[in-house]
Amino acid sequence: MSDKSAFLLSPIQTIHYVSDMVRPIALNPRRGRVRKTKPETAEQFSRPPLARMMQLHAQLQARKFPNCRKLAHELEVSSKTIQRDIEFMRYQLGLPIEYDQLHFGFVYTEPVANFPNIQVSEGEIVALFVAQKALQQYCGTPFEAPLRAAFRKIEHGLKDRITFSWSDLNAAISFRSAGQSLADLEAFEVLSHAVLESAEIEFRYRKLRGTAAETRRVRPYHLGCVDNQWYLFAFDLDRKQLRTFALPRIREPRRTGVRFRRPANFSIGKFLESSFGVFQGDGRTMVRVRFQSFAAQLVRERMWHHSQKIKELRDGGLELQLQLGSLEEIERWILSWGDQAEVLEPAKLRQRLAELGRKFVAQYGAK
């Protein structure tokens, strides 16, 4: 992140992001690439990695020639954990650490004045705070506990190295959202690992208009959060099509033991290119909607779809044009504007809304 462009993370991205910060990282010297290590036991995480490395740095500066076995005993971790800390300090932080055969321990081969601190700008702190506030919408959901733990670890890691008024930010920035996803965390973990590891899964699923749950066997390609709702994008093996599944309607997901190779040409961006949300359709349909001046001001303030074109009208209103593959989601969106929006085309959408209008009159008319 930079102080010029802040971005927000989804819950699972945040959990993974923070886990990477607090989990030891090792470098493969032969390939020169960072690789994540397997999680340690609860006893081995008795101290944060930064605290361990600071103690190691102090012993190196004092030329006490620390080695992995002694440090592992002192810090109550494994020797492999200490070795990973040393490799991180050497390859990621650029510290001149070498093993001294004569003294059977590690030593700085050059003077090191200070341990390299993580540089965090004010803008990055603001961005992190905004992300935390945005994620408050998940209070009361299975995501709340891991997110609280994640941000607590970040806060503990930064509070001694920056001077910043969190109370001022708390008073200045807040988020409010309705319709949070009720996706189960255990199911989410099964699905996310299946996506990452290209593993086929099977689950029970009830379609939006279905009366009973069906068994689905799929190849999961992608997990995405759209309008506060989590979706699984997967290839349905029985229907031979790429389908979209809402996570709250997925039950009892399990891996089948079969692995697959995700198509190289799969792109979630291309898959959702013609959708207003997540619904897909065949071909492209031109949608034209006229908004009155009050609603027009709200419409022009946001980007609703990558294909949108806005035509300003003399009366202060506007005409919004979209190219969509499905009309179901845009129908609900247009209805949310009440009498401020009028569909100009396609004709079938006008007819559908007219039918709904007659039903509204019958439903809400005087009895």
Side-chain angles (χ1 to χ4, degrees):
M1 289 188 293
S2 70
D3 56 354
K4 295 182 180 179
S5 59
F7 62 91
L8 305 183
L9 303 177
S10 69
I12 198 66
Q13 288 173 321
T14 304
I15 294 170
H16 288 170
Y17 170 69
V18 176
S19 298
D20 286 342
M21 290 182 64
V22 299
R23 181 184 299 138
I25 297 176
L27 188 80
N28 185 332
R30 285 179 289 184
R31 295 187 179 181
R33 293 187 298 181
V34 175
R35 62 177 173 83
K36 296 177 186 175
T37 61
K38 294 182 179 179
E40 306 291 342
T41 63
E43 293 79 12
Q44 291 173 320
F45 271 109
S46 57
R47 297 194 185 192
L50 183 59
R52 293 198 306 266
M53 288 186 281
M54 289 295 291
Q55 186 161 340
L56 176 56
H57 166 70
Q59 293 197 24
L60 289 168
Q61 274 196 319
R63 296 186 65 80
K64 292 184 178 180
F65 301 97
N67 60 42
C68 294
R69 182 180 59 81
K70 291 181 180 179
L71 277 172
H73 178 73
E74 291 177 14
L75 301 178
E76 299 178 340
V77 297
S78 69
S79 296
K80 289 184 178 179
T81 295
I82 298 298
Q83 182 62 46
R84 286 193 289 266
D85 290 344
I86 292 173
E87 290 178 348
F88 183 85
M89 293 171 67
R90 177 189 291 161
Y91 296 111
Q92 299 296 304
L93 301 181
L95 293 172
I97 303 175
E98 297 293 342
Y99 188 79
D100 189 305
Q101 298 286 351
L102 182 62
H103 295 88
F104 302 103
F106 293 95
V107 64
Y108 278 147
T109 58
E110 301 173 12
V112 177
N114 298 297
F115 187 85
N117 284 334
I118 300 173
Q119 300 298 317
V120 182
S121 71
E122 180 175 310
E124 289 170 332
I125 294 300
V126 172
L128 179 61
F129 183 83
V130 169
Q132 182 193 30
K133 299 295 285 188
L135 289 168
Q136 287 182 357
Q137 63 183 292
Y138 293 95
C139 289
T141 72
F143 296 114
E144 181 177 6
L147 286 173
R148 284 188 182 278
F151 277 100
R152 191 177 301 117
K153 291 175 183 177
I154 293 180
E155 181 182 358
H156 290 168
L158 296 177
K159 65 182 181 180
D160 295 331
R161 288 180 293 284
I162 60 172
T163 56
F164 203 80
S165 176
W166 291 92
S167 59
D168 291 344
L169 280 176
N170 193 53
I173 302 173
S174 66
F175 282 79
R176 183 178 180 181
S177 179
Q180 296 93 339
S181 173
L182 298 178
D184 179 73
L185 185 59
E186 291 185 6
F188 194 104
E189 288 297 318
V190 172
L191 297 173
S192 62
H193 283 100
V195 171
L196 292 171
E197 298 168 15
S198 297
E200 289 184 7
I201 54 174
E202 186 176 88
F203 52 80
R204 300 285 292 168
Y205 189 76
R206 181 172 179 175
K207 295 187 295 186
L208 192 58
R209 295 185 177 85
T211 57
E214 305 172 340
T215 298
R216 299 294 186 96
R217 190 167 58 94
V218 305
R219 292 178 174 178
Y221 289 173
H222 186 85
L223 274 173
C225 186
V226 181
D227 293 333
N228 290 328
Q229 177 71 287
W230 283 97
Y231 295 92
L232 174 69
F233 302 90
F235 184 80
D236 191 308
L237 292 167
D238 294 327
R239 292 159 180 79
K240 307 298 181 184
Q241 285 184 332
L242 194 60
R243 294 293 182 92
T244 303
F245 303 93
L247 261 65
R249 296 197 289 274
I250 292 178
R251 294 289 182 269
E252 305 170 13
R254 68 175 187 85
R255 295 169 68 149
T256 65
V258 179
R259 303 291 290 273
F260 67 92
R261 184 184 295 275
R262 188 173 66 176
N265 62 352
F266 171 78
S267 167
I268 191 63
K270 291 181 179 179
F271 180 68
L272 296 177
E273 185 177 21
S274 66
S275 66
F276 193 70
V278 295
F279 286 13
Q280 298 296 304
D282 297 328
R284 296 288 188 275
T285 301
M286 166 68 79
V287 177
R288 293 170 55 229
V289 186
R290 180 190 294 127
F291 289 91
Q292 297 183 25
S293 58
F294 173 78
Q297 181 58 38
L298 299 173
V299 171
R300 65 171 61 94
E301 289 174 355
R302 296 182 62 180
M303 183 71 178
W304 302 97
H305 192 262
H306 69 89
S307 69
Q308 77 177 41
K309 294 181 180 179
I310 291 179
K311 178 182 178 181
E312 298 291 345
L313 304 178
R314 292 183 178 181
D315 61 359
L318 63 79
E319 180 183 306
L320 178 68
Q321 297 182 12
L322 305 168
Q323 291 281 349
L324 302 177
S326 172
L327 299 178
E328 188 166 350
E329 290 167 314
I330 193 68
E331 174 187 303
R332 296 197 296 267
W333 182 72
I334 292 169
L335 286 172
S336 71
W337 292 99
D339 63 355
Q340 291 288 306
E342 178 190 357
V343 173
L344 303 179
E345 64 172 298
K348 59 182 178 181
L349 183 55
R350 282 183 63 91
Q351 293 169 2
R352 168 64 180 163
L353 292 173
E355 292 173 5
L356 288 173
R358 288 189 287 271
K359 290 182 179 179
F360 289 153
V361 171
Q363 181 174 347
Y364 294 104
K367 294 184 179 180

